[in-house]
Amino acid sequence: MTGYSDPMAVVRQYVDAFNNGDEKAMAAVCADPMQILDGMSPHVWQGPTAAEDWWRAALTEGEHVGASGYRIDLDEPRHVDVTVDFAYVVVPCTFSYNLQGEQVTQTGAVFTAALGKVGTDWRLRAWAWAKG
């Protein structure tokens, strides 16, 4: 994955990979090390395999509670602040999934990411999810 000169493009690429259930594509846009903060226990994942570890935990949690069909729809970003080789992105979004046969839609969620340049390309260094 190369050529992303816009931090928001990297966030979109990560979310597209999430929506497609592609953990390798999620990991491809992450820096090493990576950190994830999420409402799901154990709440923090970090290190070179953070994205893949988090995805496997999300699938395991989904199996446990009967959730599947995850999808994030991004709104327009509130912030895309760039300072030389670092960026901070805050994006409101909607999260939807199937829970035991019922469609659930969570509005008002926020995806917040810190990015850094690796060579000439932006990579996610950390992200956090806040429920709506």
Side-chain angles (χ1 to χ4, degrees), residues 33-92:
M34 174 66 184
Q35 296 186 35
I36 296 173
L37 173 64
D38 194 11
M40 172 181 63
S41 184
H43 308 292
V44 176
W45 293 262
Q46 52 192 343
T49 61
E52 294 156 308
D53 295 344
W54 171 84
W55 178 247
R56 285 189 293 278
L59 292 179
T60 299
E61 177 71 11
E63 287 175 17
H64 177 73
V65 299
S68 63
Y70 306 111
R71 179 168 181 81
I72 296 171
D73 291 300
L74 298 173
D75 292 331
E76 288 301 310
R78 287 186 188 152
H79 303 281
V80 179
D81 301 333
V82 177
T83 307
V84 188
D85 290 340
F86 300 98
Y88 178 72
V89 175
V90 178
V91 188

Side-chain angles (χ1 to χ4, degrees), residues 97-112:
Y97 56 97
N98 182 294
L99 181 62
Q100 300 177 3
E102 299 287 327
Q103 186 65 25
V104 176
T105 301
Q106 181 188 90
T107 59
V110 178
F111 186 86
T112 303

Side-chain angles (χ1 to χ4, degrees), residues 107-121:
T107 59
V110 178
F111 186 86
T112 303
L115 298 92
K117 285 233 178 146
V118 175
T120 59
D121 295 330

